[in-house]
Amino acid sequence: MKTIEYKLIMRAEQPIAHAQESLGNVSVLARRKVRRPGGGFSLVPYVSGDAARHQLREIAARMTLDAIGLHSGMSQGALRLLFNGGMVTGKGDATTVNLDRYRELVALFPPLALLGGCTDNRPMPGTLEVGELNLICRETEHVMPAWARDSGVGPLDSARDHVEQVTRTRMDPTLVPERVSLLSSDDAAAIHARTAKSAKAHEDGDAVVASESKSAMMPREHECIARGSLFWWDVAARVYSDAEETAFRAMMTRAMAGIHVGGKRATGHGLIVAIGCMTPQAEASPEDYARHINREALRAWLTSGVNS
Amino acid sequence: MIGEHPATIAPMVVTARLEWSIVLNDPPMLDSLLAWVYAARANLLAPVGPEQTIPIAVPLAEQDGIRLASQGIAGTPDAYETRHKHRRAPWPEYARMGSVRLRRCDMAAGPDKSYRRPYVVTVVEGDAIHWYALGDLDMVRSLLRDVRHVGKHRGTGKGRVREWSVEACETWPGFPVARDGRPLRPLPVSWPGIDPGARSGFRVLTPPYYQRERELPCLIP
């Protein structure tokens, strides 16, 4: 058994919209309680270990599929195992695996040993320990590990300084005359009638009719962690074979180049990259990892009907 | 049988200083942490049922088959937080990479049921959990170096241990499993020296403690 640990300083290359809940039209950042040195707690934004761990799972799954050149035709059970870790049914049917089958699957797909999966009727823990991404700020200075403090992170700002509130609006195309002109005459007339009804309701102060005839335009707000914010992150795994070690190193090499966490990824949010590894590690490429895979056997299993 | 028996026996207090918060129902048992280290070193998978369980010796004293170590003592929690565990069926992957036979994905029931399950994260008093035990200090100290997290959701950073300390300590009547007539861990109902008014319930007496099918009537803390 060997334990490999990555201690990383990560930087938000894009704003991070890792929300915890919505209050009305406002999406609120995930925050955690941090004990203050003088008593009491501060709420500090963070990125959950679950979000980070799922990124490692996605990296492993996609790296494996690239290695065997398989991008279609897979069974539902196989995809669920690769991207979700499987499922618990409470009975040993074909969509679950027993311990012996689990060992065979680990040999076929080494990241399963790191990430864990499901056996007969309970989840099988993996050997990967993914820490939360902790914001480097004044509120966390006293709990920051020495290796993070020694990484030269510079003067610290308060957690509140790292949070920005952004307003966006989903426009209603029926409010734009040139788009309304594209509608059929009946639909255009209905839009004009609704607009007139809404205007009259506002003049009359009739809230019920105003609500019924309002447009679909929706302003909304979200909080995000500002671009350039720094986090400390540690990830460790117990490995028992060359295949597991290479898989872990390849996953982490890819993750250090950048992972996406949180929402709004389609609009330039969520990219975090490593700017320093305080425990220098050997790198591994997807090609190194591919050498440990039995491509034919894995391809046959992923496309077989027995696991769906 | 794997593991090791104690070479020497001495009273000790074990302390886990936590880096952050922890997820737990009951504080973990010390012998389960030590057994886990031997199992992890041997790359054993967690047994699903009692028939798959392999006995693991740990460097703690025993009496009537019970390891002489208290349950973790975590004091009064200083704060709680509610977090959520999410599971979402990988339907975009089903659509893009699934076979042609894969035509629907039921996210409300069955194997692809998606959920947002709440759980409670606890900030324990003084960020520390203590155990009292009789056993081999050096062996326990050496084994606990491999335990980086305690409690639930360890794989996602909860219950991270900043440091372990294992020190010799004073004893008292009933040490280390009872104090002032109150059990400090689940004990058989016939255990001597326990106050008749002590709480009772169903618990597992030996690791792995999650196998609830092995529960017995016990005196509990």
Side-chain angles (χ1 to χ4, degrees):
Chain A
M1 182 186 89
K2 184 156 100 175
T3 301
I4 304 171
E5 185 171 17
Y6 285 75
K7 295 177 175 175
L8 302 166
I9 301 294
M10 307 290 285
R11 183 174 63 206
E13 292 295 295
Q14 295 173 338
I16 310 296
H18 184 55
Q20 175 174 277
E21 61 183 326
S22 292
L23 301 173
N25 281 1
V26 181
S27 163
V28 182
L29 269 179
R31 289 177 169 84
R32 69 185 308 177
K33 282 182 178 168
V34 176
R35 196 191 289 276
R36 285 196 294 259
F41 291 88
S42 300
L43 287 172
V44 177
Y46 75 111
V47 176
S48 72
D50 303 75
R53 186 184 174 94
H54 185 74
Q55 289 304 302
L56 295 179
R57 188 183 290 279
E58 287 237 355
I59 288 171
R62 294 189 190 282
M63 198 168 64
T64 303
L65 296 176
D66 287 345
I68 60 175
L70 182 64
H71 295 104
S72 64
M74 276 171 280
S75 66
Q76 192 166 6
L79 283 169
R80 197 184 297 123
L81 188 72
L82 287 178
F83 288 95
N84 257 12
M87 48 149 322
V88 178
T89 61
K91 57 182 181 184
D93 68 6
T95 53
T96 61
V97 289
N98 61 28
L99 287 185
D100 290 334
R101 187 73 186 123
Y102 183 81
R103 290 188 186 93
E104 290 170 28
L105 285 178
V106 164
L108 276 178
F109 176 51
L112 191 62
L114 304 169
L115 294 157
C118 282
T119 59
D120 283 328
N121 62 353
R122 60 180 297 250
M124 186 57 63
T127 61
L128 189 62
E129 292 165 350
V130 183
E132 288 165 340
L133 280 100
N134 302 292
L135 184 66
I136 294 179
C137 61
R138 262 195 312 238
E139 286 82 351
T140 57
E141 186 176 11
H142 64 289
V143 291
M144 205 182 296
W147 60 266
R149 212 175 298 126
D150 297 343
S151 64
V153 290
L156 303 179
D157 300 306
S158 88
R160 190 169 292 186
D161 293 335
H162 288 270
V163 178
E164 52 188 354
Q165 194 150 342
V166 182
T167 303
R168 293 282 180 270
T169 304
R170 187 187 70 186
M171 288 304 294
D172 179 357
T174 63
L175 296 180
V176 184
E178 69 240 35
R179 301 214 176 119
V180 174
S181 69
L182 300 173
L183 294 173
S184 66
S185 54
D186 286 351
D187 284 349
I191 296 295
H192 291 311
R194 194 204 69 197
T195 311
K197 186 178 175 187
S198 176
K200 183 165 189 318
H202 278 288
E203 280 171 18
D204 297 348
D206 188 337
V208 174
V209 177
S211 173
E212 286 170 359
S213 58
K214 72 178 181 182
S215 79
M217 189 173 78
M218 186 176 74
R220 64 193 193 280
E221 293 183 3
H222 69 268
E223 289 185 319
C224 53
I225 303 173
R227 181 179 175 178
S229 298
L230 299 179
F231 302 81
W232 82 85
W233 186 36
D234 63 286
V235 183
R238 299 187 310 281
V239 295
Y240 296 89
S241 67
D242 281 351
E244 288 174 22
E245 179 173 346
T246 309
F248 180 50
R249 291 193 187 284
M251 285 158 63
M252 288 307 298
T253 303
R254 174 68 192 79
M256 285 165 66
I259 54 174
H260 277 89
V261 290
K264 311 195 189 304
R265 297 180 206 183
T267 53
H269 288 72
L271 177 63
I272 301 185
V273 302
I275 58 166
C277 181
M278 308 311 287
T279 47
Q281 300 285 352
E283 290 191 358
S285 65
E287 292 73 30
D288 297 328
Y289 166 64
R291 280 194 277 278
H292 291 277
I293 296 179
N294 182 339
R295 296 174 195 213
E296 286 70 34
L298 182 55
R299 176 184 273 270
W301 183 77
L302 290 173
T303 53
S304 71
V306 296
N307 50 50
S308 63
Chain B
M1 167 83 80
I2 64 167
E4 297 165 288
H5 291 289
T8 60
I9 300 284
M12 67 180 98
V13 56
V14 176
T15 304
R17 299 203 179 285
L18 302 177
E19 195 167 294
W20 296 101
S21 40
I22 184 171
V23 183
L24 39 78
N25 292 341
D26 288 323
M29 304 291 289
L30 184 62
D31 55 340
S32 65
L33 297 178
L34 300 174
W36 175 85
V37 176
Y38 287 115
R41 287 179 181 176
N43 195 16
L44 296 181
L45 295 175
V48 172
E51 69 285 351
Q52 295 172 334
T53 304
I54 299 169
I56 301 176
V58 297
L60 294 176
E62 285 185 27
Q63 181 181 327
D64 300 334
I66 303 297
R67 264 72 178 266
L68 297 183
S70 70
Q71 184 173 295
I73 299 166
T76 310
D78 285 341
Y80 295 103
E81 285 178 82
T82 301
R83 305 258 182 104
H84 293 84
K85 200 85 179 164
H86 298 100
R87 184 177 192 271
R88 183 187 61 83
W91 61 266
E93 285 77 16
Y94 289 167
R96 291 185 193 128
M97 295 189 260
S99 77
V100 289
R101 286 176 298 162
L102 214 167
R103 288 168 184 243
R104 63 190 294 272
C105 166
D106 185 353
M107 292 169 70
D112 286 315
K113 184 178 169 69
S114 300
Y115 56 75
R116 172 176 160 87
R117 182 171 61 81
Y119 63 94
V120 173
V121 173
T122 306
V123 182
V124 299
E125 184 178 351
D127 293 326
I129 300 177
H130 307 279
W131 293 263
Y132 294 100
L134 271 176
D136 191 310
L137 268 76
D138 292 334
M139 292 171 77
V140 169
R141 192 177 288 130
S142 160
L143 288 168
L144 288 176
R145 274 192 213 118
D146 282 1
V147 181
R148 296 161 46 87
H149 295 76
V150 292
K152 295 180 172 184
H153 302 306
R154 301 177 299 278
T156 52
K158 317 298 185 299
R160 176 75 189 266
V161 179
R162 185 189 290 273
E163 65 173 351
W164 287 99
S165 87
V166 181
E167 306 294 337
C169 69
E170 299 294 316
T171 64
W172 57 80
F175 182 92
V177 295
R179 187 168 205 164
D180 301 330
R182 280 183 48 239
L184 294 179
R185 61 154 290 161
L187 293 169
V189 287
S190 58
W191 198 265
I194 302 296
D195 191 286
R199 289 175 64 214
S200 60
F202 282 82
R203 292 288 189 282
V204 182
L205 288 169
T206 54
Y209 289 99
Y210 59 78
Q211 288 178 346
R212 298 191 64 180
E213 57 269 52
R214 295 194 295 119
E215 281 185 341
L216 296 168
C218 292
L219 302 165
I220 58 175

